[in-house]
Amino acid sequence: MLIDTYGRVATDLRVSLTDRCNLRCTYCMPEEGLQWLAKPELLTDDEIVRLVDIAVRLLGVEEVRFTGGEPLLRPGLVGIVERVAALGPRPRMSLTTNGIGLGRTAAALKAAGLDRVNVSLDTLRPDVFKTLTRRDRHKDVLEGLRAARAAGLTPVKVNTVLMPGLNGDEAPDLLAWAIEHDYELRFIEQMPLDPQHGWKREGMVTAGDILASLRTRFDLTPEDAGERGSAPAERWLVDGGPYRVGVIASVTRPFCAACDRTRLTADGQIRTCLFATEETDLRGALRSGAPDEEIARLWRVAMWGKKAGAGLDDPSFIQPDRPMSAIGG
């Protein structure tokens, strides 16, 4: 079991498969100049599967989310999913992706054992998409979403970050579109994860702003509190249901007290929080021949030291020293 001093138990493992991405979203990374991890620094496919096996067999992990960077850029992705699906006990598996390439891989991922996907899409406007991501790939993301739904990677969740002056007015249109196409939409408050350190709390679109905008067109009923559990999204029934919309208010309504996550970076470091400033090296232990039980012990020690919260409301808050692409979303 992965437990911390506040009694939280981590059963959800986020695995970053690569630090590379084929978009350059303004709130995530600079347009150029990032130093990518060298191949020897990355965990191999075998190392990833071994660490996931330790997590589910010895540490009580029940759900695995593959992230990046962009996980679809990992050449061995389908094989990793297939091997993790064969573990006992078998964890639930999902993938967070920008959707580019999903049109080609959705069916193979489903056949390998992937259960569902989260796809990032911040706008319905191709020109705004190009401004936000610095790439002209909007139609590829829409194609990937359609392929995921057709392959049965459901529920297909769409993650959206709203930015003032760009897509901040799109919340109602995005929800109407998601309902039309049977996607579950989740808005995420912009978090301080940019390596340029350009994030400013007073300039973000808050959960309150998002809900106020949605209510200009829809009737929102809060979901029963008991259904949320440790999920980061607060959810509302739209016009009485059955469709729902979620809001992840990481900044204005932090949910650290219910966090059940542990994170494995692409280079084999354990991070107890997306905003942690310390890491525990499992790659070194793996490559020095440590047995599974020793690696599990290192993981437990790391989680025992997890802090109470991310500290976003602390004036002395320090942003992560690595971009989100190197940590995993």
Coordinates of all heavy atoms in Angstrom, one line a residue, residues 231-315:
A231 N -12.0 11.7 -7.4 CA -11.9 12.3 -8.7 C -11.6 13.8 -8.6 O -12.2 14.5 -7.8 CB -13.1 12.0 -9.5
P232 N -10.7 14.3 -9.5 CA -10.4 15.7 -9.4 C -11.5 16.6 -9.9 O -11.6 17.8 -9.5 CB -9.2 15.9 -10.3 CG -9.3 14.7 -11.2 CD -9.9 13.6 -10.5
A233 N -12.4 16.1 -10.7 CA -13.4 17.0 -11.3 C -14.7 17.0 -10.5 O -15.3 15.9 -10.1 CB -13.8 16.5 -12.7
E234 N -15.2 18.2 -10.2 CA -16.6 18.4 -9.7 C -17.5 18.3 -11.0 O -17.1 18.9 -12.0 CB -16.7 19.7 -9.0 CG -15.9 19.9 -7.8 CD -16.2 21.3 -7.2 OE1 -17.2 21.5 -6.5 OE2 -15.3 22.1 -7.4
R235 N -18.6 17.6 -10.9 CA -19.4 17.4 -12.0 C -20.8 17.9 -11.8 O -21.4 17.8 -10.7 CB -19.4 15.9 -12.4 CG -18.1 15.3 -12.8 CD -18.2 14.1 -13.6 NE -18.9 13.0 -13.0 CZ -19.2 11.8 -13.5 NH1 -18.8 11.6 -14.7 NH2 -19.9 10.9 -12.8
W236 N -21.4 18.3 -12.9 CA -22.8 18.8 -12.9 C -23.6 18.1 -14.0 O -23.1 17.8 -15.1 CB -22.8 20.3 -13.2 CG -22.4 21.1 -12.0 CD1 -23.2 21.8 -11.2 CD2 -21.1 21.5 -11.6 NE1 -22.5 22.5 -10.2 CE2 -21.2 22.3 -10.5 CE3 -19.8 21.1 -12.1 CZ2 -20.0 22.8 -9.8 CZ3 -18.7 21.6 -11.5 CH2 -18.8 22.4 -10.3
L237 N -24.9 17.7 -13.7 CA -25.8 17.2 -14.7 C -26.2 18.4 -15.5 O -26.5 19.5 -15.0 CB -27.0 16.6 -14.0 CG -26.9 15.3 -13.3 CD1 -28.1 14.9 -12.5 CD2 -26.5 14.2 -14.3
V238 N -26.2 18.2 -16.8 CA -26.6 19.3 -17.8 C -28.1 19.1 -18.2 O -28.5 18.1 -18.7 CB -25.7 19.2 -19.0 CG1 -26.1 20.3 -20.0 CG2 -24.3 19.3 -18.7
D239 N -28.9 20.1 -17.9 CA -30.3 20.1 -18.2 C -31.0 18.9 -17.7 O -31.8 18.3 -18.4 CB -30.5 20.3 -19.7 CG -30.1 21.7 -20.2 OD1 -30.0 22.6 -19.4 OD2 -29.8 21.8 -21.4
G240 N -30.6 18.5 -16.5 CA -31.3 17.3 -15.8 C -30.7 16.0 -16.2 O -31.1 15.0 -15.7
G241 N -29.7 15.9 -17.1 CA -29.0 14.7 -17.5 C -29.6 14.1 -18.8 O -30.5 14.7 -19.3
P242 N -28.9 13.1 -19.2 CA -27.9 12.2 -18.6 C -26.5 12.8 -18.8 O -25.5 12.3 -18.2 CB -28.0 10.9 -19.3 CG -28.4 11.3 -20.7 CD -29.4 12.5 -20.5
Y243 N -26.3 13.8 -19.6 CA -25.0 14.4 -19.9 C -24.5 15.1 -18.7 O -25.2 15.8 -17.9 CB -25.0 15.2 -21.1 CG -25.2 14.4 -22.4 CD1 -26.4 14.4 -23.0 CD2 -24.1 13.7 -22.9 CE1 -26.6 13.6 -24.2 CE2 -24.3 12.9 -24.1 CZ -25.6 12.9 -24.7 OH -25.8 12.1 -25.8
R244 N -23.1 15.1 -18.5 CA -22.5 15.7 -17.4 C -21.3 16.6 -17.9 O -20.8 16.3 -19.0 CB -21.9 14.7 -16.4 CG -23.0 14.0 -15.6 CD -22.3 12.8 -14.8 NE -23.2 12.2 -13.8 CZ -24.1 11.3 -14.1 NH1 -24.2 10.9 -15.4 NH2 -24.9 10.8 -13.2
V245 N -21.0 17.6 -17.1 CA -19.8 18.4 -17.4 C -19.0 18.5 -16.1 O -19.6 18.6 -15.0 CB -20.2 19.8 -18.0 CG1 -21.0 20.6 -16.9 CG2 -19.0 20.6 -18.4
G246 N -17.7 18.5 -16.3 CA -16.8 18.5 -15.1 C -16.0 19.8 -15.1 O -15.7 20.3 -16.2
V247 N -15.6 20.2 -13.9 CA -14.6 21.3 -13.8 C -13.6 20.9 -12.8 O -13.9 20.5 -11.6 CB -15.3 22.6 -13.3 CG1 -14.3 23.7 -13.1 CG2 -16.4 23.0 -14.3
I248 N -12.3 21.0 -13.2 CA -11.2 20.6 -12.3 C -10.6 22.0 -11.9 O -9.9 22.6 -12.6 CB -10.2 19.8 -13.0 CG1 -10.8 18.4 -13.5 CG2 -9.0 19.5 -12.1 CD1 -9.9 17.5 -14.3
A249 N -10.9 22.3 -10.6 CA -10.5 23.7 -10.1 C -9.3 23.5 -9.3 O -9.3 23.7 -8.1 CB -11.7 24.3 -9.3
S250 N -8.2 23.1 -9.9 CA -7.0 22.8 -9.2 C -6.4 24.0 -8.4 O -5.8 23.9 -7.4 CB -5.9 22.4 -10.1 OG -6.3 21.3 -10.9
V251 N -6.7 25.2 -8.9 CA -6.2 26.5 -8.2 C -7.2 27.0 -7.2 O -6.8 27.3 -6.1 CB -5.8 27.5 -9.3 CG1 -5.3 28.8 -8.6 CG2 -4.8 27.0 -10.3
T252 N -8.4 27.2 -7.6 CA -9.4 27.9 -6.7 C -10.1 27.0 -5.8 O -10.6 27.5 -4.8 CB -10.4 28.7 -7.6 OG1 -11.1 27.8 -8.4 CG2 -9.7 29.7 -8.4
R253 N -10.2 25.7 -6.1 CA -10.8 24.8 -5.2 C -10.0 23.5 -5.1 O -10.4 22.4 -5.6 CB -12.3 24.4 -5.7 CG -13.2 25.6 -5.9 CD -14.5 25.1 -6.5 NE -15.3 26.3 -6.9 CZ -16.5 26.1 -7.5 NH1 -17.0 24.9 -7.8 NH2 -17.2 27.2 -7.9
P254 N -8.8 23.6 -4.6 CA -7.9 22.4 -4.6 C -8.5 21.2 -3.9 O -9.2 21.3 -2.9 CB -6.6 22.9 -3.9 CG -7.1 24.1 -3.1 CD -8.2 24.7 -3.9
F255 N -8.1 20.0 -4.4 CA -8.7 18.8 -3.9 C -7.6 17.9 -3.3 O -7.7 16.7 -3.4 CB -9.4 18.0 -5.0 CG -8.7 18.1 -6.4 CD1 -7.7 17.2 -6.7 CD2 -9.0 19.1 -7.3 CE1 -7.0 17.2 -7.9 CE2 -8.3 19.2 -8.5 CZ -7.3 18.2 -8.8
C256 N -6.5 18.5 -2.8 CA -5.3 17.8 -2.4 C -5.7 16.8 -1.3 O -5.1 15.7 -1.1 CB -4.3 18.7 -1.9 SG -3.7 19.9 -3.1
A257 N -6.7 17.1 -0.4 CA -7.0 16.2 0.7 C -7.5 14.9 0.3 O -7.5 13.9 1.0 CB -8.1 16.9 1.6
A258 N -8.0 14.8 -1.0 CA -8.6 13.5 -1.4 C -7.7 12.9 -2.5 O -8.1 11.9 -3.2 CB -10.0 13.7 -2.0
C259 N -6.5 13.4 -2.7 CA -5.6 12.9 -3.8 C -5.2 11.5 -3.6 O -4.8 11.1 -2.5 CB -4.3 13.8 -3.9 SG -3.2 13.3 -5.2
D260 N -5.3 10.7 -4.7 CA -5.0 9.3 -4.6 C -4.0 8.9 -5.7 O -3.9 7.8 -6.1 CB -6.2 8.4 -4.7 CG -6.9 8.5 -6.1 OD1 -6.5 9.4 -6.9 OD2 -7.7 7.6 -6.4
R261 N -3.1 9.9 -6.1 CA -2.2 9.7 -7.2 C -0.7 9.5 -6.8 O -0.3 10.2 -5.9 CB -2.3 10.9 -8.2 CG -3.7 11.0 -8.8 CD -3.8 12.2 -9.7 NE -5.1 12.4 -10.2 CZ -5.5 13.4 -11.0 NH1 -4.6 14.3 -11.4 NH2 -6.7 13.6 -11.3
T262 N 0.0 8.8 -7.6 CA 1.4 8.7 -7.6 C 1.9 8.8 -9.0 O 1.2 8.4 -9.9 CB 1.9 7.4 -6.9 OG1 3.4 7.4 -6.9 CG2 1.4 6.2 -7.6
R263 N 3.0 9.4 -9.3 CA 3.5 9.7 -10.6 C 4.8 9.2 -10.9 O 5.8 9.3 -10.1 CB 3.5 11.3 -10.8 CG 2.1 11.9 -10.7 CD 2.1 13.4 -10.8 NE 0.8 14.0 -10.6 CZ -0.1 14.1 -11.5 NH1 0.2 13.7 -12.8 NH2 -1.3 14.6 -11.3
L264 N 5.0 8.6 -12.1 CA 6.3 8.1 -12.6 C 6.7 8.9 -13.8 O 5.9 8.9 -14.8 CB 6.1 6.6 -12.9 CG 7.4 5.9 -13.4 CD1 8.5 5.9 -12.4 CD2 7.0 4.5 -13.9
T265 N 7.8 9.6 -13.7 CA 8.2 10.4 -14.9 C 8.8 9.5 -15.9 O 9.2 8.3 -15.7 CB 9.3 11.4 -14.4 OG1 10.5 10.8 -14.1 CG2 8.7 12.2 -13.3
A266 N 9.0 10.1 -17.1 CA 9.6 9.3 -18.3 C 11.0 8.8 -18.0 O 11.4 7.8 -18.6 CB 9.5 10.2 -19.5
D267 N 11.7 9.5 -17.1 CA 13.1 9.0 -16.8 C 13.1 8.3 -15.4 O 14.2 8.2 -14.8 CB 14.0 10.2 -16.8 CG 13.6 11.3 -15.9 OD1 12.5 11.3 -15.4 OD2 14.5 12.3 -15.7
G268 N 12.0 7.8 -15.0 CA 12.0 6.8 -13.9 C 12.1 7.4 -12.5 O 12.6 6.8 -11.5
Q269 N 11.5 8.7 -12.3 CA 11.5 9.3 -11.0 C 10.1 9.3 -10.4 O 9.1 9.4 -11.2 CB 11.9 10.8 -11.1 CG 13.2 11.0 -11.9 CD 14.4 10.3 -11.2 OE1 14.7 10.4 -10.0 NE2 15.1 9.5 -12.0
I270 N 10.0 9.1 -9.2 CA 8.7 9.1 -8.5 C 8.4 10.6 -8.0 O 9.3 11.1 -7.3 CB 8.6 8.2 -7.3 CG1 8.5 6.7 -7.8 CG2 7.4 8.5 -6.4 CD1 7.2 6.4 -8.6
R271 N 7.3 11.1 -8.4 CA 6.8 12.4 -7.9 C 5.5 12.2 -7.2 O 4.6 11.6 -7.7 CB 6.7 13.4 -9.0 CG 7.9 13.8 -9.7 CD 7.7 14.8 -10.9 NE 7.4 16.1 -10.3 CZ 8.3 17.1 -10.3 NH1 9.5 16.9 -10.6 NH2 7.9 18.3 -9.8
T272 N 5.5 12.7 -6.0 CA 4.3 12.5 -5.2 C 3.2 13.5 -5.5 O 2.0 13.3 -5.1 CB 4.6 12.6 -3.7 OG1 5.2 13.9 -3.4 CG2 5.6 11.5 -3.2
C273 N 3.5 14.5 -6.3 CA 2.6 15.6 -6.7 C 3.1 16.2 -7.9 O 4.3 16.3 -8.2 CB 2.5 16.6 -5.5 SG 1.5 18.1 -6.0
L274 N 2.2 16.7 -8.8 CA 2.5 17.4 -10.0 C 3.4 18.6 -9.7 O 4.3 18.9 -10.5 CB 1.3 17.9 -10.7 CG 1.4 18.3 -12.2 CD1 1.9 17.2 -13.0 CD2 0.0 18.7 -12.7
F275 N 3.3 19.2 -8.5 CA 4.0 20.4 -8.1 C 5.1 20.1 -7.2 O 5.7 21.0 -6.5 CB 3.1 21.4 -7.6 CG 2.0 21.9 -8.5 CD1 0.7 21.4 -8.4 CD2 2.3 22.8 -9.5 CE1 -0.2 21.7 -9.3 CE2 1.3 23.2 -10.4 CZ 0.1 22.7 -10.3
A276 N 5.5 18.8 -7.0 CA 6.6 18.5 -6.1 C 7.9 19.0 -6.6 O 8.1 19.2 -7.8 CB 6.7 17.0 -5.9
T277 N 8.8 19.4 -5.6 CA 10.1 19.9 -6.0 C 11.2 18.8 -5.7 O 12.3 19.0 -5.9 CB 10.4 21.1 -5.2 OG1 10.3 20.9 -3.8 CG2 9.5 22.3 -5.6
E278 N 10.7 17.6 -5.2 CA 11.6 16.5 -4.9 C 11.2 15.3 -5.7 O 10.0 15.1 -5.9 CB 11.7 16.2 -3.4 CG 12.2 17.4 -2.6 CD 12.1 17.1 -1.1 OE1 11.5 16.1 -0.7 OE2 12.7 17.9 -0.3
E279 N 12.1 14.4 -6.0 CA 11.8 13.2 -6.7 C 12.6 12.1 -6.1 O 13.6 12.3 -5.4 CB 12.2 13.3 -8.2 CG 11.5 14.4 -9.0 CD 11.9 14.5 -10.4 OE1 13.1 14.1 -10.7 OE2 11.1 14.9 -11.3
T280 N 12.1 10.8 -6.3 CA 12.8 9.6 -5.8 C 13.2 8.8 -7.0 O 12.3 8.5 -7.9 CB 11.9 8.8 -4.9 OG1 11.6 9.6 -3.7 CG2 12.6 7.5 -4.4
D281 N 14.4 8.4 -7.2 CA 15.0 7.8 -8.3 C 14.7 6.3 -8.3 O 15.4 5.6 -7.5 CB 16.5 8.1 -8.5 CG 17.1 7.4 -9.7 OD1 16.3 7.1 -10.7 OD2 18.3 7.2 -9.7
L282 N 13.8 5.8 -9.1 CA 13.6 4.3 -9.2 C 14.4 3.7 -10.4 O 14.7 2.5 -10.4 CB 12.1 4.0 -9.4 CG 11.2 4.3 -8.3 CD1 9.8 3.8 -8.5 CD2 11.7 3.9 -6.9
R283 N 14.7 4.5 -11.4 CA 15.5 4.1 -12.5 C 16.9 3.5 -12.1 O 17.3 2.5 -12.5 CB 15.7 5.2 -13.5 CG 16.4 4.7 -14.8 CD 16.7 5.9 -15.7 NE 17.7 6.8 -15.0 CZ 17.9 8.1 -15.3 NH1 17.3 8.6 -16.4 NH2 18.8 8.8 -14.7
G284 N 17.5 4.3 -11.2 CA 18.8 3.9 -10.7 C 18.7 2.6 -9.9 O 19.6 1.7 -10.1
A285 N 17.7 2.4 -9.1 CA 17.5 1.2 -8.4 C 17.3 0.0 -9.4 O 17.9 -1.1 -9.2 CB 16.3 1.3 -7.4
L286 N 16.5 0.2 -10.4 CA 16.2 -0.8 -11.4 C 17.5 -1.3 -12.0 O 17.8 -2.5 -12.1 CB 15.3 -0.3 -12.5 CG 13.8 -0.2 -12.2 CD1 13.1 0.5 -13.4 CD2 13.2 -1.7 -12.1
R287 N 18.3 -0.3 -12.5 CA 19.5 -0.6 -13.3 C 20.7 -1.1 -12.4 O 21.6 -1.6 -13.0 CB 19.8 0.6 -14.1 CG 18.8 0.9 -15.1 CD 19.1 2.1 -16.0 NE 17.9 2.3 -17.0 CZ 17.9 3.3 -17.9 NH1 18.9 4.2 -17.9 NH2 16.9 3.4 -18.7
S288 N 20.5 -0.9 -11.1 CA 21.6 -1.5 -10.2 C 21.3 -2.9 -9.7 O 22.0 -3.4 -8.9 CB 21.8 -0.5 -9.0 OG 20.7 -0.5 -8.2
G289 N 20.1 -3.4 -10.2 CA 19.8 -4.8 -9.8 C 18.9 -5.0 -8.6 O 18.8 -6.1 -8.1
A290 N 18.3 -3.9 -8.1 CA 17.5 -4.0 -6.9 C 16.3 -4.9 -7.1 O 15.7 -4.9 -8.2 CB 17.0 -2.6 -6.5
P291 N 16.0 -5.8 -6.2 CA 14.8 -6.6 -6.3 C 13.5 -5.8 -6.2 O 13.5 -4.7 -5.7 CB 15.0 -7.6 -5.1 CG 15.7 -6.8 -4.1 CD 16.7 -6.0 -4.9
D292 N 12.4 -6.4 -6.6 CA 11.1 -5.8 -6.6 C 10.8 -5.2 -5.2 O 10.2 -4.1 -5.0 CB 10.0 -6.7 -7.0 CG 10.1 -7.1 -8.5 OD1 11.0 -6.5 -9.2 OD2 9.3 -7.9 -9.0
E293 N 11.1 -6.0 -4.1 CA 10.7 -5.6 -2.8 C 11.4 -4.3 -2.4 O 10.9 -3.5 -1.7 CB 11.0 -6.7 -1.8 CG 10.1 -7.9 -1.9 CD 10.5 -8.8 -3.2 OE1 11.5 -8.6 -3.8 OE2 9.6 -9.6 -3.5
E294 N 12.7 -4.1 -2.8 CA 13.4 -2.9 -2.5 C 12.9 -1.7 -3.2 O 12.8 -0.6 -2.7 CB 14.9 -3.1 -2.8 CG 15.8 -1.9 -2.7 CD 15.8 -1.3 -1.3 OE1 15.4 -1.9 -0.3 OE2 16.3 -0.1 -1.2
I295 N 12.5 -1.9 -4.5 CA 11.9 -0.8 -5.2 C 10.6 -0.4 -4.6 O 10.3 0.8 -4.5 CB 11.7 -1.3 -6.7 CG1 13.1 -1.4 -7.4 CG2 10.9 -0.2 -7.5 CD1 13.1 -2.1 -8.7
A296 N 9.8 -1.4 -4.2 CA 8.5 -1.1 -3.5 C 8.8 -0.3 -2.3 O 8.0 0.6 -1.9 CB 7.8 -2.4 -3.2
R297 N 9.8 -0.7 -1.5 CA 10.2 0.0 -0.3 C 10.5 1.5 -0.6 O 10.0 2.4 0.1 CB 11.3 -0.6 0.4 CG 11.6 0.0 1.8 CD 13.0 -0.5 2.4 NE 14.1 0.0 1.6 CZ 14.6 1.2 1.8 NH1 14.1 2.1 2.6 NH2 15.6 1.6 1.0
L298 N 11.3 1.7 -1.6 CA 11.7 3.1 -2.0 C 10.4 3.9 -2.3 O 10.3 5.1 -2.0 CB 12.6 3.1 -3.1 CG 14.0 2.6 -2.9 CD1 14.8 2.4 -4.2 CD2 14.8 3.5 -1.9
W299 N 9.5 3.3 -3.0 CA 8.3 3.9 -3.4 C 7.4 4.3 -2.2 O 6.9 5.4 -2.1 CB 7.5 3.0 -4.4 CG 6.6 3.7 -5.4 CD1 5.9 4.8 -5.2 CD2 6.3 3.2 -6.7 NE1 5.2 5.1 -6.4 CE2 5.4 4.1 -7.3 CE3 6.7 2.1 -7.4 CZ2 4.9 3.9 -8.6 CZ3 6.2 1.9 -8.7 CH2 5.3 2.8 -9.3
R300 N 7.3 3.3 -1.3 CA 6.5 3.6 -0.1 C 7.1 4.8 0.7 O 6.4 5.6 1.2 CB 6.5 2.4 0.8 CG 5.7 1.2 0.3 CD 5.5 0.1 1.3 NE 4.9 -1.1 0.8 CZ 5.6 -2.2 0.4 NH1 7.0 -2.1 0.6 NH2 5.1 -3.2 -0.1
V301 N 8.4 4.8 0.8 CA 9.1 5.9 1.6 C 8.8 7.2 0.9 O 8.6 8.2 1.6 CB 10.6 5.6 1.7 CG1 11.4 6.9 2.2 CG2 10.9 4.4 2.6
A302 N 8.9 7.3 -0.4 CA 8.6 8.5 -1.1 C 7.2 9.0 -0.9 O 7.0 10.2 -0.6 CB 8.8 8.3 -2.6
M303 N 6.2 8.1 -0.9 CA 4.8 8.5 -0.7 C 4.6 8.9 0.8 O 3.7 9.7 1.0 CB 3.9 7.3 -1.1 CG 3.9 7.1 -2.6 SD 3.5 8.6 -3.6 CE 1.8 8.9 -3.0
W304 N 5.3 8.3 1.7 CA 5.1 8.6 3.1 C 5.4 10.1 3.3 O 4.8 10.7 4.2 CB 5.9 7.7 4.0 CG 5.7 7.9 5.5 CD1 6.6 8.5 6.3 CD2 4.6 7.5 6.2 NE1 6.1 8.5 7.6 CE2 4.8 7.9 7.6 CE3 3.4 6.9 5.9 CZ2 3.9 7.7 8.6 CZ3 2.5 6.7 6.9 CH2 2.7 7.1 8.2
G305 N 6.3 10.6 2.5 CA 6.7 12.0 2.7 C 5.9 13.0 1.9 O 6.3 14.2 1.8
K306 N 4.8 12.6 1.3 CA 4.0 13.5 0.5 C 3.5 14.6 1.3 O 3.0 14.4 2.5 CB 2.8 12.7 -0.1 CG 2.0 13.5 -1.1 CD 0.9 12.6 -1.8 CE 0.1 13.5 -2.7 NZ -0.8 12.6 -3.5
K307 N 3.5 15.8 0.8 CA 3.0 17.0 1.5 C 1.5 17.1 1.5 O 0.8 16.5 0.7 CB 3.6 18.3 0.9 CG 5.2 18.3 1.0 CD 5.7 19.6 0.4 CE 7.2 19.7 0.6 NZ 7.8 20.9 0.0
A308 N 1.0 17.9 2.4 CA -0.5 18.0 2.6 C -1.1 18.6 1.3 O -2.2 18.2 1.0 CB -0.8 18.9 3.8
G309 N -0.5 19.5 0.6 CA -1.1 20.1 -0.5 C 0.0 20.7 -1.5 O 1.2 20.7 -1.2
A310 N -0.5 21.1 -2.6 CA 0.4 21.6 -3.6 C 0.9 23.0 -3.3 O 2.0 23.4 -3.8 CB -0.3 21.7 -5.0
G311 N 0.2 23.7 -2.5 CA 0.7 25.0 -2.0 C 0.5 26.2 -3.0 O 1.2 27.2 -3.0
L312 N -0.5 26.0 -3.9 CA -0.7 27.1 -4.9 C -1.2 28.4 -4.3 O -1.0 29.4 -4.9 CB -1.8 26.6 -5.9 CG -1.4 25.4 -6.8 CD1 -2.5 25.1 -7.8 CD2 -0.1 25.6 -7.5
D313 N -1.8 28.3 -3.1 CA -2.2 29.5 -2.4 C -1.2 30.1 -1.5 O -1.4 31.1 -0.9 CB -3.5 29.2 -1.6 CG -3.2 28.1 -0.6 OD1 -2.2 27.4 -0.7 OD2 -4.1 27.8 0.3
D314 N 0.0 29.6 -1.6 CA 1.2 30.1 -0.8 C 1.9 31.1 -1.6 O 2.4 30.8 -2.7 CB 2.1 29.0 -0.4 CG 3.2 29.4 0.6 OD1 3.5 30.6 0.6 OD2 3.7 28.5 1.3
P315 N 2.1 32.3 -1.1 CA 2.8 33.4 -1.9 C 4.3 32.9 -2.3 O 4.8 33.4 -3.2 CB 2.9 34.6 -1.0 CG 1.7 34.4 0.0 CD 1.6 32.9 0.1

